[in-house]
Amino acid sequence: MSNVVENYDVIVVGAGHAGCEAALASARLGMDTIVFTISIDSVALMPCNPNIGGTSKGHLVREVDALGGEMGKNIDKTFIQSKMLNKSKGPAVHSLRAQADKHHYTEEMRKTLENTDNLTLRQAEVSDLIVEDGVIKGVKTTTGATYFAKSVILATGVYLKAKCIHGEVCQETGPNGLAAANYLTQSLIDNGIEMRRFKTGTPARVDKRTVDFSKMEEQFGDERIVPFSFTTDPDSIQKDQVSCWLTYTNEETHEIIKENIHRSPLFSGMIEGTGPRYCPSIEDKVVKFEDKNRHQVFIEPEGLYTNEMYLGGMSSSLPEDVQFAMYHTVPGLENAKIVRNAYAIEYDCIEYGQLHPDLEFKAVKGLFSAGQFNGSSGYEEAAAQGIVAGINAVKYARGEETLVIDRSVGYIGVLIDDLVTKESHEPYRMMTSRAEYRLLLRQDNADLRLTPLGYEVGLIDQERYDSVVAKEKAIEKEIDRLEETYVGANKKVQKILEKLDSTTLKTATSLAELIRRPELDYELIKDLDKERSELPEDVKEQVNINIKYSGYIERQKKQVEKFKKIEDMKIPEDLDYDDVVSLRIEARQKLQKYRPVNIGQASRISGVSPADISVLLIYMEQKK
């Protein structure tokens, strides 16, 4: 066995999307950081869907970027199609989604890691935690090498005791045939960490040359591409884009699935882990939605230099022969040659309720975790947890107060708060409906919300911070001007309004009031605005949204203020819930298990009712 011993400030286990953000944050904050991966070729691997962003997930990528993370920059370098989703709806649910060139995405992120100061990328499997008196001291690898550090971040993704399954075939590997990590789970259990089994899945990949696109609907990217990163110049990324394609399953597809459902490991009991409810396999959809005679299938390119196409919406763990039969019933896929089979992947992750809101384990001081290991799903959710875990591992190592992002400040706050307070019996997926204040937490204003926080932490430089401050001032100045600038009911104004299919004026009104009309916006009223000066596109966008939705925005701000008064009330660390006699037994048990830090967190624990919170508030007041 190896007698190698090395010392670092921060150790990161895993170099997926969570591990990359964690390691980069740590290294950029000046800490000597090492990140372990089973295969250096799998840095920031995209083993499933070849895209970044999507509904609510696009918000997370923007927020990671605003804090000083890398995912947004990396997808801006490597996308092959980009689209703003939900444009027909309000700005709260607009979300960017970009198809990535998978190989290029991995290559660019690896290049970034390898060229970041204070960062060492190491191919090795971590097998043991070194813990003394409940405090993390470092890790050991399967070769016996020892690495000591002040803090450790676990970002193991889907690799712990991973099994890839389709039909009766079960292979003990990670995604894409990569090695599984089979030893670390036992060390976690030995150190008081409870584990559970989750599963996810991926569809088959087919050879583009064997697909008949004439039977499918072509899906184009946006004419004007919006970057993910606030630092990317939009003009620098306007380019020709690759098309995606839409087709559908049919009754024949569903019949084949139903006839072979007994052979699905999902239904035969071969798979123990729980899968994601919001990303079900095709066999799951057919069983659960019997009334639907078709389901969407998106045919997406995996990159510019490969013929592999991803069959989005048709993940499966059915046997190989059933996969061949069912895929060949889909219009356009009748003669498709499968390059990679669809499969389910089962893996170890942690039971809920074991983390503090800063992502540190309650059982082991200085041990943090992020990503699918925490019971979440998706690249974007992983990256969001990764940057927070990275920041907090550094803060812990320095003896500073750790960072907790509030639910009212970012989707990242909603994501982490949900993961640490709510019982989840399936992989957690971010959705806009999970955010109470989604009109305030839009993807377009993530820089205004979180860049000051990134600057305070040390991940955002002075120039970028100053530019966000200047942007905020420009928005406020323009809104004030529009509120105070009036136009009269003269012939010229009435003619312009008639041309815009808007009601004519009976009396003078402000330009802001005109913008609030459903049929008008900031750009449309420019002919009525004599004093208007040219402003950057992002400033104009904020001015328009803030004026148009001002009533709703103010209402949400008041809601935040109202709830914050109770939300932030700290619960004493040593509070014994057994002493709160009027609490129901279930509430008492849940509060003892989760040990919430404040009333807001306590109120979101399932099994704790508003009545229980009232009892707790009265008890705390009496104890004062």
Side-chain angles (χ1 to χ4, degrees):
M1 293 294 276
S2 172
N3 58 2
V4 168
V5 177
E6 290 194 10
N7 291 283
Y8 289 87
D9 294 319
V10 176
I11 290 169
V12 181
V13 182
H17 303 281
C20 287
E21 294 295 349
L24 287 168
S26 172
R28 286 165 175 170
L29 290 172
M31 302 301 264
D32 194 9
T33 306
I34 185 167
V35 56
F36 289 98
T37 175
I38 282 177
S39 168
I40 281 182
D41 295 326
S42 67
V43 168
L45 184 73
M46 301 173 102
C48 194
N49 53 308
N51 51 65
I52 295 291
T55 303
S56 77
K57 290 168 176 276
H59 290 66
L60 288 172
V61 182
R62 277 284 180 95
E63 290 185 356
V64 167
D65 181 73
L67 283 171
E70 196 63 29
M71 181 175 262
K73 293 186 181 76
N74 209 61
I75 186 62
D76 284 346
K77 292 178 200 170
T78 59
F79 77 93
I80 56 178
Q81 191 200 84
S82 181
K83 212 171 199 175
M84 184 70 78
L85 305 181
N86 304 322
K87 281 198 287 192
S88 62
K89 300 176 182 175
V93 292
H94 291 179
S95 280
L96 260 179
R97 182 179 187 268
Q99 293 295 129
D101 183 310
K102 284 174 118 166
H103 177 72
H104 193 197
Y105 186 93
T106 296
E107 193 177 59
E108 282 296 326
M109 189 64 88
R110 177 175 166 181
K111 194 191 294 182
T112 299
L113 262 67
E114 289 180 336
N115 290 286
T116 296
D117 293 341
N118 311 312
L119 185 54
T120 301
L121 186 58
R122 180 78 167 89
Q123 182 168 296
E125 182 183 342
V126 170
S127 57
D128 291 279
L129 300 179
I130 303 167
V131 181
E132 292 175 15
D133 300 321
V135 179
I136 194 76
K137 297 295 178 183
V139 302
K140 282 188 178 178
T141 66
T142 50
T143 62
T146 303
Y147 295 83
F148 291 108
K150 295 166 187 168
S151 54
V152 172
I153 302 163
L154 300 177
T156 57
V158 298
Y159 286 84
L160 291 189
K161 290 195 172 176
K163 287 181 182 177
C164 288
I165 304 162
H166 59 89
E168 296 82 27
V169 178
C170 179
Q171 297 165 310
E172 294 195 354
T173 71
N176 284 7
L178 291 163
N182 290 319
Y183 301 100
L184 186 57
T185 294
Q186 191 55 53
S187 181
L188 292 164
I189 292 167
D190 292 344
N191 284 289
I193 292 165
E194 295 173 57
M195 305 297 289
R196 61 177 166 182
R197 207 86 176 130
F198 270 174
K199 84 110 194 150
T200 186
T202 193
R205 312 311 197 263
V206 296
D207 186 335
K208 180 170 72 176
R209 295 169 301 172
T210 62
V211 175
D212 183 354
F213 294 110
S214 69
K215 295 182 179 178
M216 302 177 180
E217 299 166 33
E218 193 165 2
Q219 307 286 298
F220 301 99
D222 287 343
E223 204 171 306
R224 175 74 182 171
I225 299 160
V226 177
F228 268 101
S229 176
F230 292 99
T231 63
T232 301
D233 173 11
D235 290 336
S236 71
I237 59 163
Q238 305 306 316
K239 62 183 181 184
D240 292 336
Q241 298 175 68
V242 176
S243 288
C244 296
W245 305 82
L246 173 64
T247 184
Y248 296 88
T249 62
N250 52 52
E251 289 177 353
E252 189 187 351
T253 322
H254 299 184
E255 203 50 48
I256 290 168
I257 291 167
K258 286 173 187 172
E259 284 170 6
N260 290 278
I261 205 73
H262 62 286
R263 297 178 65 198
S264 165
L266 266 182
F267 294 92
S268 68
M270 190 172 173
I271 290 176
E272 305 162 34
T274 312
R277 188 178 5 152
Y278 300 102
C279 187
S281 64
I282 189 63
E283 53 266 39
D284 230 1
K285 288 186 208 175
V286 168
V287 169
K288 284 178 181 168
F289 307 107
E290 266 195 300
D291 56 318
K292 288 202 168 188
N293 55 17
R294 69 176 195 168
H295 293 283
Q296 288 183 324
V297 184
F298 288 97
I299 316 297
E300 302 171 334
E302 297 249 302
L304 293 176
Y305 304 104
T306 175
N307 282 329
E308 275 191 86
M309 302 293 281
Y310 177 88
L311 306 184
M314 273 194 91
S315 71
S316 178
S317 59
L318 284 161
E320 186 175 48
D321 59 306
V322 183
Q323 288 189 33
F324 269 77
M326 74 173 184
Y327 285 128
H328 288 155
T329 64
V330 176
L333 300 180
E334 293 90 345
N335 300 303
K337 289 193 175 176
I338 292 177
V339 178
R340 305 184 201 220
N341 284 331
Y343 61 86
I345 183 163
E346 203 177 48
Y347 55 95
D348 286 348
C349 59
I350 61 168
E351 274 285 0
Y352 55 84
Q354 300 184 85
L355 298 173
H356 292 299
D358 58 4
L359 297 178
E360 183 189 28
F361 274 98
K362 294 172 182 176
V364 182
K365 285 188 177 297
L367 180 64
F368 295 81
S369 73
Q372 286 186 267
F373 177 67
N374 285 350
S376 62
S377 69
Y379 311 145
E380 304 81 4
E381 289 91 337
Q385 294 168 66
I387 193 167
V388 172
I391 290 166
N392 284 334
V394 170
K395 284 183 170 289
Y396 172 87
R398 289 176 177 166
E400 297 170 2
E401 188 181 343
T402 52
L403 170 73
V404 175
I405 296 173
D406 194 88
R407 293 179 77 90
S408 63
V409 175
Y411 269 71
I412 295 176
V414 175
L415 164 69
I416 294 174
D417 186 60
D418 280 354
L419 283 173
V420 302
T421 60
K422 292 184 178 175
E423 287 186 21
S424 181
H425 301 282
E426 64 193 15
Y428 177 98
R429 186 192 170 179
M430 192 71 242
M431 293 182 290
T432 50
S433 59
R434 297 191 193 272
E436 302 91 325
Y437 311 116
R438 54 186 173 275
L439 191 51
L440 301 179
L441 311 182
R442 305 183 311 276
Q443 56 87 30
D444 58 76
N445 69 359
D447 58 336
L448 299 169
R449 289 184 281 114
L450 290 171
T451 301
L453 192 54
Y455 174 70
E456 198 181 306
V457 163
L459 288 175
I460 297 290
D461 63 26
Q462 190 68 47
E463 186 183 353
R464 185 171 173 187
Y465 173 70
D466 289 343
S467 113
V468 170
V469 170
K471 177 179 170 180
E472 193 163 33
K473 284 180 181 169
I475 293 161
E476 286 171 8
K477 186 180 174 186
E478 181 68 348
I479 289 171
D480 289 344
R481 185 187 72 79
L482 292 162
E483 293 283 7
E484 292 162 11
T485 304
Y486 281 73
V487 289
N490 58 58
K491 279 184 183 178
K492 187 184 175 186
V493 168
Q494 308 291 42
K495 196 174 178 183
I496 292 169
L497 289 173
E498 282 171 4
K499 195 178 172 185
L500 294 168
D501 291 326
S502 192
T503 311
T504 52
L505 300 179
K506 290 177 182 172
T507 182
T509 192
S510 71
L511 292 175
E513 278 305 318
L514 290 176
I515 290 170
R516 288 188 186 101
R517 292 184 175 187
E519 70 278 8
L520 300 179
D521 61 28
Y522 182 76
E523 278 303 304
L524 288 171
I525 65 151
K526 62 184 177 186
D527 291 340
L528 295 168
D529 191 356
K530 293 175 185 172
E531 296 164 29
R532 178 170 172 149
S533 55
E534 198 47 51
L535 293 168
E537 287 300 320
D538 58 347
V539 171
K540 289 193 278 191
E541 180 186 34
Q542 291 305 307
V543 168
N544 190 58
I545 291 170
N546 277 285
I547 288 176
K548 217 161 185 54
Y549 298 91
S550 56
Y552 301 105
I553 289 169
E554 282 310 308
R555 196 181 307 159
Q556 283 213 341
K557 283 180 179 174
K558 280 174 185 167
Q559 284 175 347
V560 170
E561 283 169 29
K562 183 181 170 185
F563 289 119
K564 287 288 274 180
K565 286 173 187 172
I566 298 176
E567 169 97 12
D568 292 341
M569 280 181 72
K570 292 269 188 284
I571 298 172
E573 281 183 40
D574 58 352
L575 193 148
D576 185 349
Y577 292 98
D578 288 333
D579 291 343
V580 190
V581 288
S582 300
L583 275 178
R584 291 176 310 111
I585 292 170
E586 185 189 8
R588 197 175 299 152
Q589 288 171 343
K590 293 285 178 69
L591 290 164
Q592 287 284 30
K593 179 181 178 178
Y594 283 98
R595 306 296 309 173
V597 294
N598 57 38
I599 290 293
Q601 201 186 10
S603 70
R604 289 186 289 276
I605 296 170
S606 62
V608 177
S609 70
D612 295 318
I613 294 298
S614 297
V615 167
L616 190 55
L617 285 167
I618 291 164
Y619 177 82
M620 285 167 57
E621 188 61 36
Q622 287 170 346
K623 280 288 171 186
K624 274 186 185 175

